[in-house]
């Protein structure tokens, strides 16, 4: 049936918005939807000349850009499997993933091209530069000819011109593999997640049905890596299906670039990782609330209401003047920041998902969202907690439904471990669920620490308290010899601005540790800390690679 096919949603999005702007690189060129369709058709001609078959693997590795999206949809609509690889991976990792995925054609941008070696990827038929779709490697003379003069090949195929009727998409089946997405490896090495068309359709259909305020012609700022499913699904797939105008921040988005883009684009929806929101609140808002006389006045309900309204009136326009909702995902939001945003009635919600679900598991519109939760199960997905009492006893979160992957590519053991015979996927996350179906995540089963007295300790909850300190940029709680240690990367800019010398750091953090321990139960007291000289190593979605620091 056409109505539950993902590529039909995409085709309709393109054809229904033919004359609208579709893709713009930051301060760069804009493609209308008809230009986007033409670019896709040009890629199909190139794939024909390379004898790419349906089901062949095409990989894409590069920074966010309009041409990244052209390569992605050009491959899928042709019937190829698209392999998305994060551009932050090292050259050796990219070689390894291209080889592991049996990729036939690789799209790489100039940044990636500078760190890879074609000799290390012998099975590749061709490498194209994402920047201009020029051929960097190929054994096919016909392909090289098509690449050198794409307009000539295009005009030969469409002598009467290119129209909506010429937009042809692959006729998919629900269980067919669509995307091979290599996870970013927070706790281990990357795995190839096999995402079928039913998952892409189910995720996009949910977003169309449940985010009705996003309309054709709306601006969207794309700042999450598109090789990660969270950014891909809601900044790209939803936007194309709806006919939105996507703006790509092609450089590393500094807070200033992001705010500048918001003021120009005026998005109705913003997708963010917690780090962006937390830094705005912790650096710009909390310090102001701790100054006198505000600190005293917020204790009086009448003044608190007025002060919080003032904060909200200043904060919301930072995201443009059409904002309806900020969706936070990719990691847990700091509890204190979340509660504060709820109190000032900031239009935010926290969703939960994972690459293996393409990515959606839970979501709730901001007006009905409950602070501290990450929403309720989305359409076509079931969520369970493996515990005797799901409201009070923490257990592993398991999920089942149309969004769930087919498995891990060439890794039967990992697939069997992740998905049981009844089709339930183990998320590796721990949580509880209230009687209304709101999910509350407590931590990851891999990071949970069992105390000597048998109590479960969730390091993320302790890190929340440390990260709220003005002196702390980021922190990590680890276990050594049965004791909890805080690894702290100080906020050197803040400390310097307040004339704190490095010789005094130790005394400050001893004091902070004592203050935080007063807020913690006895079994989760931190006994010592170590200051880090540099930021923790992170995955491209800005999660700390914990496994590197836990001995």
């Amino acid at each position: 049936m056409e109505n539950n096919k993902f590529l039909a949603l995409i085709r309709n999005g393109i054809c229904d918005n033919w004359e609208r702007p579709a893709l713009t690189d930051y301060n760069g060129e804009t493609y209308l939807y008809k230009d986007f369709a033409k670019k896709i058709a040009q890629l199909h001609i190139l794939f024909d000349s390379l004898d790419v078959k349906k089901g062949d693997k095409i990989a894409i590795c590069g920074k966010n850009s309009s041409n990244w999206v052209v390569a992605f949809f050009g491959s899928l609509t042709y019937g190829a499997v698209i392999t998305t690889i994060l551009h932050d991976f090292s050259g050796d990792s990219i070689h390894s993933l291209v080889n592991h995925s049996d990729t036939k054609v690789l799209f790489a941008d100039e940044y990636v091209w500078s760190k890879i070696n074609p000799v290390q990827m012998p099975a590749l038929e061709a490498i194209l530069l994402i920047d201009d779709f020029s051929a960097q490697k190929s054994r096919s003379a016909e392909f090289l000819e098509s690449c050198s003069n794409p307009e000539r090949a295009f005009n030969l195929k469409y002598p009467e011109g290119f129209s909506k009727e010429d937009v042809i998409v692959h006729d998919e089946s629900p269980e067919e593999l669509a995307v091979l997405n290599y996870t970013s490896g927070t706790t281990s090495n990357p795995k190839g997640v096999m995402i079928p068309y039913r998952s892409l359709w189910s995720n996009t259909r949910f977003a169309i049905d449940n985010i009705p305020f996003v309309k054709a012609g709306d601006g969207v700022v794309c700042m999450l890596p598109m090789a990660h499913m969270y950014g891909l699904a809601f900044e790209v797939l939803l936007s194309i299906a709806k006919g939105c105008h996507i703006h790509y921040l092609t450089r590393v988005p500094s807070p200033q670039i992001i705010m500048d883009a918001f003021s120009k684009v005026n998005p109705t929806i913003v997708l963010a990782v917690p780090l962006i929101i937390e830094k705005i609140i912790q650096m710009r808002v909390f310090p102001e609330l701790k100054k006198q006389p505000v600190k005293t006045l917020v204790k009086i309900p009448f003044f608190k209401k007025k002060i919080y309204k003032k904060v909200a009136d200043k904060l919301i326009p930072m995201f443009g003047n059409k904002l309806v909702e900020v969706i936070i995902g990719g990691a847990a939001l700091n509890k204190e920041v979340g509660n504060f945003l709820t109190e000032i009635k900031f239009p935010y919600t926290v969703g939960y998902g994972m690459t293996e679900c393409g990515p959606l598991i839970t979501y709730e519109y901001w007006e009905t969202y409950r602070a501290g939760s990450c929403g309720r199960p989305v359409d076509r997905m079931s969520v369970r907690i493996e515990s005797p009492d799901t409201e009070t006893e923490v257990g592993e979160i398991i999920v089942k439904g149309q969004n769930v992957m087919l498995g891990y590519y060439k890794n039967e053991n990992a697939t069997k471990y992740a998905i049981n015979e009844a089709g339930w996927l183990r998320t590796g996350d721990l949580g509880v669920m209230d009687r209304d179906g709101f999910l509350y995540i407590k931590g990851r089963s891999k990071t949970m620490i069992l105390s000597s007295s048998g109590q479960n300790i969730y390091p993320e909850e302790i890190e929340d308290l440390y990260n709220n300190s003005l002196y702390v940029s980021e922190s990590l709680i680890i276990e050594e010899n049965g004791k909890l240690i805080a690894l702290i990367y100080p906020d050197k800019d803040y400390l310097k601005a307040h004339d704190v010398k490095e010789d005094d750091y130790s005394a400050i953090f001893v004091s902070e540790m004592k203050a935080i321990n007063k807020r913690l139960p006895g079994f989760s007291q931190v006994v010592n800390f170590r200051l880090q000289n540099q930021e923790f190593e992170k995955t491209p979605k800005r999660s700390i690679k914990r496994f590197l620091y836990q001995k």
Side-chain angles (χ1 to χ4, degrees):
M1 276 167 55
E2 177 113 349
N3 66 356
N4 67 349
K5 293 203 172 186
F6 168 72
L7 290 175
L9 294 177
I10 297 305
R11 186 187 185 282
N12 293 343
I14 291 171
C15 294
D16 294 348
N17 298 283
W18 199 244
E19 296 293 339
R20 282 196 169 103
L23 314 168
T24 298
D25 287 337
Y26 186 71
N27 291 338
E29 192 183 352
T30 294
Y31 295 152
L32 302 180
Y33 273 90
K34 63 181 180 184
D35 304 324
F36 178 39
K38 181 182 171 183
K39 290 269 182 191
I40 287 170
Q42 286 177 324
L43 285 187
H44 287 187
I45 294 169
L46 292 182
F47 296 154
D48 281 339
S49 70
L50 272 174
D51 197 27
V52 174
K53 303 277 194 301
K54 289 187 186 298
D56 280 348
K57 311 288 192 319
I58 295 176
I60 181 165
C61 186
K63 295 176 183 176
N64 286 5
S65 69
S66 297
N67 278 355
W68 193 106
V69 182
V70 171
F72 180 86
F73 283 108
S75 303
L76 276 187
T77 53
Y78 187 82
V81 173
I82 188 78
T83 300
T84 53
I85 300 173
L86 289 149
H87 71 274
D88 298 86
F89 284 149
S90 68
D92 285 344
S93 293
I94 294 166
H95 300 152
S96 165
L97 298 181
V98 164
N99 295 333
H100 182 265
S101 61
D102 305 307
T103 286
K104 191 170 184 177
V105 180
L106 170 65
F107 287 95
D109 66 7
E110 284 188 358
Y111 168 72
V112 170
W113 174 243
S114 70
K115 60 181 178 179
I116 59 174
N117 180 357
V119 176
Q120 301 293 322
M121 301 172 286
L124 274 183
E125 294 285 323
I127 300 174
L128 291 103
L129 262 195
I130 295 173
D131 308 70
D132 59 3
F133 297 128
S134 60
Q136 297 301 305
K137 170 198 166 173
S138 177
R139 303 188 190 110
S140 161
E142 186 189 346
F143 170 74
L144 291 170
E145 170 64 26
S146 296
C147 270
S148 64
N149 197 342
E151 286 296 324
R152 181 173 172 274
F154 187 79
N155 292 334
L156 279 172
K157 184 163 182 179
Y158 302 102
E160 306 296 316
F162 188 78
S163 68
K164 295 180 191 179
E165 286 68 41
D166 295 308
V167 179
I168 307 296
V169 300
H170 167 61
D171 184 22
E172 77 211 49
S173 62
E175 294 297 318
E176 184 183 345
L177 176 59
V179 178
L180 189 54
N181 186 283
Y182 281 89
T183 62
S184 50
T186 311
T187 53
S188 59
N189 292 322
K191 291 197 284 277
V193 177
M194 298 191 287
I195 297 168
Y197 275 101
R198 61 166 158 77
S199 176
L200 296 184
W201 173 81
S202 181
N203 271 279
T204 308
R205 184 75 256 168
F206 176 84
I208 291 169
D209 294 342
N210 293 277
I211 308 180
F213 55 85
V214 173
K215 296 185 169 59
D218 280 358
V220 172
V221 177
C222 183
M223 52 187 177
L224 300 171
M226 289 188 291
H228 196 267
M229 285 310 299
Y230 173 40
L232 181 66
F234 304 109
E235 289 178 340
V236 182
L237 308 188
L238 168 65
S239 298
I240 299 295
K242 287 255 189 170
C244 298
H245 181 188
I246 314 171
H247 299 255
Y248 295 99
L249 303 182
T250 48
R251 291 181 284 164
V252 174
S254 68
Q256 197 47 56
I257 288 174
I258 292 168
M259 295 306 160
D260 180 50
F262 287 156
S263 67
K264 285 179 182 169
V265 175
N266 291 310
T268 47
I269 190 171
V270 168
L271 288 109
V273 290
L275 198 70
I276 295 168
I277 305 296
E278 287 166 1
K279 286 302 167 197
I280 291 171
I281 302 300
Q282 288 166 339
M283 303 303 286
R284 299 190 186 186
V285 180
F286 283 173
E288 296 302 311
L289 295 177
K290 284 172 181 169
K291 289 178 184 173
Q292 293 294 6
V294 176
K295 189 176 179 180
T296 302
L297 290 174
V298 290
K299 292 173 183 169
I300 304 162
F302 173 78
F303 290 112
K304 182 180 182 177
K305 197 174 176 184
K306 285 191 173 305
I307 291 165
Y308 276 15
K309 187 177 185 313
K310 237 182 202 178
V311 172
D313 289 347
K314 270 189 180 176
L315 189 61
I316 294 169
M318 289 168 72
F319 296 84
N321 59 30
K322 290 184 181 175
L323 181 71
V324 177
E325 182 176 69
V326 175
I327 302 177
I328 300 169
L333 177 67
N334 180 287
K335 197 179 286 182
E336 194 174 333
V337 171
N339 289 338
F340 174 75
L341 291 173
T342 298
E343 273 204 84
I344 66 169
K345 295 184 171 58
F346 182 79
Y348 86 102
T349 186
V350 176
Y352 167 57
M354 59 193 298
T355 306
E356 287 83 346
C357 292
L360 262 188
I361 296 171
T362 60
Y363 164 85
E364 186 75 16
Y365 183 54
W366 79 270
E367 286 184 341
T368 44
Y369 167 76
R370 289 184 186 170
S373 81
C374 45
R376 293 190 282 189
V378 299
D379 299 346
R380 298 170 291 280
M381 285 293 281
S382 302
V383 179
R384 280 190 196 163
I385 308 291
E386 288 201 302
S387 83
D389 185 339
T390 58
E391 285 185 49
T392 59
E393 287 189 47
V394 172
E396 184 171 6
I397 301 161
I398 60 169
V399 302
K400 184 180 182 180
Q402 283 206 34
N403 295 7
V404 175
M405 67 171 178
L406 297 168
Y408 296 112
Y409 191 60
K410 295 181 181 173
N411 197 336
E412 210 174 305
N413 289 340
T415 301
K416 280 181 179 170
Y417 178 78
I419 305 174
N420 71 19
E421 287 177 7
W424 288 93
L425 169 72
R426 298 175 61 175
T427 66
D429 292 315
L430 301 166
V432 291
M433 186 181 274
D434 69 20
R435 62 188 58 194
D436 297 318
F438 283 88
L439 183 67
Y440 297 79
I441 293 174
K442 296 297 180 183
R444 284 194 63 78
S445 57
K446 284 186 180 177
T447 62
M448 189 194 81
I449 297 165
L450 193 65
S451 76
S452 55
S453 57
Q455 302 276 9
N456 292 344
I457 299 168
Y458 304 104
E460 296 89 346
E461 293 183 344
I462 305 171
E463 288 155 12
D464 250 5
L465 299 175
Y466 276 89
N467 294 344
N468 276 327
S469 165
L470 294 171
Y471 307 119
V472 176
S473 180
E474 53 188 9
S475 65
L476 198 64
I477 300 298
I478 63 167
E479 180 191 24
E480 283 183 5
N481 304 316
K483 307 288 185 188
L484 297 184
I485 310 292
L487 305 183
I488 298 168
Y489 177 58
D491 191 327
K492 294 178 181 178
D493 292 338
Y494 183 86
L495 289 159
K496 189 177 179 183
H498 289 77
D499 297 320
V500 179
K501 296 183 170 59
E502 287 204 24
D503 291 349
D504 300 327
Y505 281 9
S506 189
I508 278 181
F509 288 107
V510 165
S511 172
E512 286 294 291
M513 185 178 74
K514 285 178 180 174
I516 290 167
N517 276 342
K518 284 179 184 172
R519 300 173 63 185
L520 293 168
F523 62 82
S524 58
Q525 298 280 304
V526 174
V527 301
N528 208 343
F529 64 87
R530 285 203 294 272
L531 298 182
Q532 305 293 109
N533 288 323
Q534 52 196 40
E535 275 191 43
F536 294 105
E537 197 171 324
K538 297 183 187 69
T539 71
K541 68 163 187 171
R542 305 294 293 160
S543 304
I544 294 170
K545 291 186 174 181
R546 290 178 171 273
F547 64 97
L548 296 177
Y549 300 93
Q550 180 65 65
K551 290 170 184 170

